[in-house]
Amino acid sequence: MTGKKRKLGLALGAGALRGLCHLGFLQVLKDEGITADYVAGTSIGAVIGSLYAAGIDLKTLADIAKHLRLRHLVDPVFPRQGLLQGKNIMEILQLFLRDITFAELQIPLAVVATDLASGREVVFREGPVVEAVRASISIPGIFTPLRQGRQVLVDGALVNRVPISTVRAMGAEKVIAVSINPSFCPDRLNNVAEIILQSFALLQTQVVADKLQEADLVIEPRVGDINPASLDDAERCIEEGAEAARRFLPQIKALLNSPAPQRW
């Protein structure tokens, strides 16, 4: 059984703008000739995961991210269901993904969202990719929800912050989880977005710790001190993701060549 490459699944977790570390992590894997067989993403993990699965050049994305400012992303609306409409982010995604469907991606992808009406996890694996990602990033109170029939779709982090179980169900024999620690301890909370994100962090810390045990390898970039609602440290986020990948390269390579466990 040894010496045979195992089907690799990547579970890219939520983390707001700190999730740009996924770009650095994936770039190091690419430089090492390591390609995922399956990808599952939640929230910012769904954004980066979809671009990766579509074969978009990661260095180009990193260069763009370093020059992004919040004004490029925000589109305020009268706050009935959220502060932001999400149209600007959709337009940026469509520049890269256009109208691509899940079936047209180079790597199988799953995108995780939450149905507020039922409280259930919703996993997208077919249809337009951009629409699924828009649902997955809809942090309640910040982005307006995406409505599909009776479903009120919001951020997948509410039910599955790091979608390990999702990518395992896709067929991954070995799962690497890239988890962005939800804790953030600012000197002060300056705005509504920061208050909402900090509230989510407090609620999710213990739940995330329990679920991470389902992964074969957990990688946590050192971005816990970075404001998840700011793009000021985008370059550092990307580099921290790359540094984390380099730090774990021996374990990643060993994992891919180790026997697949029997799961009953």
Side-chain angles (χ1 to χ4, degrees), residues 6 33 72 75-76 97 108 144 192-193 196 207 220-221 227 242 246 256:
R6 301 301 167 190
H72 300 136
D75 46 2
L97 299 174
T144 56
V192 173
I196 291 172
V207 175
E220 295 182 298
N227 187 339
R246 289 191 289 265
L256 295 180

Side-chain angles (χ1 to χ4, degrees), residues 34-55:
I34 299 170
T35 302
D37 297 288
Y38 306 98
V39 179
T42 298
S43 199
I44 186 66
V47 174
I48 306 301
S50 66
L51 295 166
Y52 171 72

Side-chain angles (χ1 to χ4, degrees), residues 1-186:
M1 295 289 288
T2 57
K4 180 182 177 182
K5 181 181 178 296
R6 301 301 167 190
K7 295 288 186 180
L8 172 63
L10 298 180
L12 304 181
L17 294 174
R18 288 188 292 185
L20 291 173
C21 65
H22 293 313
L23 284 173
F25 172 79
L26 292 170
Q27 183 62 59
V28 170
L29 292 194
K30 181 179 179 181
D31 292 343
E32 292 291 325
I34 299 170
T35 302
D37 297 288
Y38 306 98
V39 179
T42 298
S43 199
I44 186 66
V47 174
I48 306 301
S50 66
L51 295 166
Y52 171 72
I56 307 299
D57 183 70
L58 296 169
K59 290 182 179 178
T60 299
L61 293 174
D63 288 340
I64 292 172
K66 292 172 186 177
H67 292 90
L68 274 178
R69 295 295 178 265
L70 283 178
R71 67 177 183 273
H72 300 136
L73 303 179
V74 301
D75 46 2
V77 293
F78 185 77
R80 294 180 61 187
Q81 297 183 338
L83 299 174
L84 305 177
Q85 187 175 4
K87 183 179 178 182
N88 286 6
I89 291 179
M90 289 276 282
E91 289 177 350
I92 291 173
L93 284 172
Q94 284 173 331
L95 285 175
F96 294 99
L97 299 174
R98 300 187 184 277
D99 297 320
I100 196 170
T101 66
F102 282 81
E104 297 171 310
L105 294 170
Q106 295 180 14
I107 301 171
L109 172 72
V111 168
V112 177
T114 304
D115 177 17
L116 268 185
S118 67
R120 295 176 180 173
E121 179 178 348
V122 176
V123 179
F124 289 91
R125 292 201 59 191
E126 58 183 24
V129 173
V130 170
E131 188 170 294
V133 173
R134 170 63 178 86
S136 185
I137 66 171
S138 299
I139 302 169
I142 296 180
F143 287 101
T144 56
L146 180 69
R147 293 179 178 271
Q148 287 189 348
R150 295 184 178 181
Q151 292 182 321
V152 182
L153 299 171
V154 296
D155 197 323
L158 286 176
V159 291
N160 200 349
R161 184 179 176 91
V162 188
I164 298 163
S165 58
T166 308
V167 78
R168 184 84 71 187
M170 295 171 74
E173 296 173 292
K174 299 291 184 178
V175 175
I176 298 174
V178 184
S179 175
I180 300 157
N181 194 316
S183 63
F184 175 57
C185 299

